[in-house]
Amino acid sequence: MGVSDAELTVGTAGPVATIVISSPGRRNAMTAAMWRQLPVLLDRLEADERVRVLVLTGAGGTFCAGADLGDLDELLDAGDASIAVAAEERLAAFARPTVAAIEGACVGGGCQLAVACDLRLAAAEARFGVPPARLGLVYPVPTTRRLARLVGPSAAKHLLFTAELIDAERALRIGLVDEVLPPDGLAARVGAVTAAIAERSRLTVTAAKEIVDERADEDRIAWWHGQVRVSGEAREGVAAANERRPPRFGWAPPAAG
């Protein structure tokens, strides 16, 4: 398989969009073209008001084995301004909840992308690793700090210092993933989680993501509380609970501009 076979594909099912990493023969390693393509796809999906949740996964039972080493010089020359870091940052800033559905290898650039997602659900046979120490590389600063925030300094140092692969159960213990599922149960669980998110108040979910990610300053937080007052979301939620029916939430972000 040649480089031309490497691609990111997008599918939608109702309010859930899925980006699939596919690089046959290279365990879904991300090429330079794929790193460049990801922010473009994210911009397009973010502009689609029908999309409420995004899933990132890999084709053929593998999430992503990292960056394609054939593009290493380009990534090294750019340092923290590389296309890989730009793609990671765009994914982390995506305005809707993001879920990484992980099977097989989730290594290097693959782990970078998974950590940039809001949630990570893994099959039991998944393996995780951060290999720069095997290659003599300095892991990007934004990537290193995001990993440390997720798993804590000690676990991050272990992954970075040793470059060891860890299994899904250990990844769960250190907080690298949120759930571990049997291989035949991953898709169903991802479907259940994304369906639940899509049914919840978009106001609550969007505000929570901004606040947890520390992207909301005091003025923005005050704006969010104002949205609760004027939107009617809370009144609808309480009424639905009292009437024992599903809520009919209708809030949507104001149009830009």
Side-chain angles (χ1 to χ4, degrees):
M1 297 289 184
V3 173
S4 61
D5 299 303
E7 61 178 351
L8 302 176
T9 60
V10 178
T12 56
V16 180
T18 301
I19 295 178
V20 179
I21 304 167
S22 179
S23 185
R26 291 189 298 284
R27 297 194 302 160
N28 297 338
M30 291 281 290
T31 65
M34 294 164 75
W35 288 117
R36 292 190 182 93
Q37 184 187 8
L38 183 57
V40 175
L41 295 179
L42 293 171
D43 287 347
R44 191 178 84 197
L45 291 171
E46 195 171 89
D48 186 344
E49 287 300 317
R50 297 170 297 180
V51 174
R52 301 287 296 274
V53 190
L54 173 67
V55 176
L56 180 67
T57 193
T62 296
F63 185 74
C64 174
D68 192 314
L69 295 182
D71 299 314
L72 185 59
D73 286 345
E74 179 175 353
L75 297 177
L76 289 178
D77 289 345
D80 285 352
S82 75
I83 52 177
V85 174
E88 172 194 356
E89 291 294 290
R90 182 64 187 88
L91 178 59
F94 190 72
R96 319 286 160 69
T98 54
V99 179
I102 304 165
E103 296 178 283
C106 180
V107 179
C111 199
Q112 183 176 355
L113 291 173
V115 169
C117 290
D118 296 310
L119 302 174
R120 285 152 296 281
L121 308 184
E125 88 291 351
R127 295 293 181 268
F128 302 83
V130 183
R134 291 184 184 273
L135 303 170
L137 306 176
V138 175
Y139 214 38
V141 171
T143 308
T144 302
R145 289 176 175 165
R146 181 169 285 114
L147 176 65
R149 286 195 300 270
L150 182 64
V151 303
S154 182
K157 288 174 182 177
H158 178 90
L159 290 168
L160 288 160
F161 292 175
T162 68
E164 290 179 345
L165 290 179
I166 64 171
D167 62 20
E169 289 299 332
R170 182 166 180 179
L172 180 65
R173 289 197 301 272
I174 67 174
L176 185 58
V177 299
D178 301 292
E179 295 185 33
V180 174
L181 291 307
D184 60 358
L186 179 62
R189 181 57 180 154
V190 170
V193 169
T194 55
I197 293 171
E199 291 172 358
R200 304 302 185 238
S201 167
R202 190 169 169 186
L203 188 158
T204 302
V205 170
T206 308
K209 176 164 178 166
E210 282 194 11
I211 293 167
V212 171
D213 290 348
E214 299 183 345
R215 295 180 184 271
D217 59 16
E218 290 185 6
D219 289 342
R220 182 67 170 177
I221 292 170
W223 183 85
W224 280 118
H225 287 304
Q227 288 294 293
V228 173
R229 290 191 295 272
V230 303
S231 67
E233 291 282 279
R235 287 188 292 275
E236 169 58 20
V238 171
N242 289 336
E243 296 166 15
R244 300 180 182 276
R245 61 169 174 82
R248 296 183 289 270
F249 293 121
W251 181 88

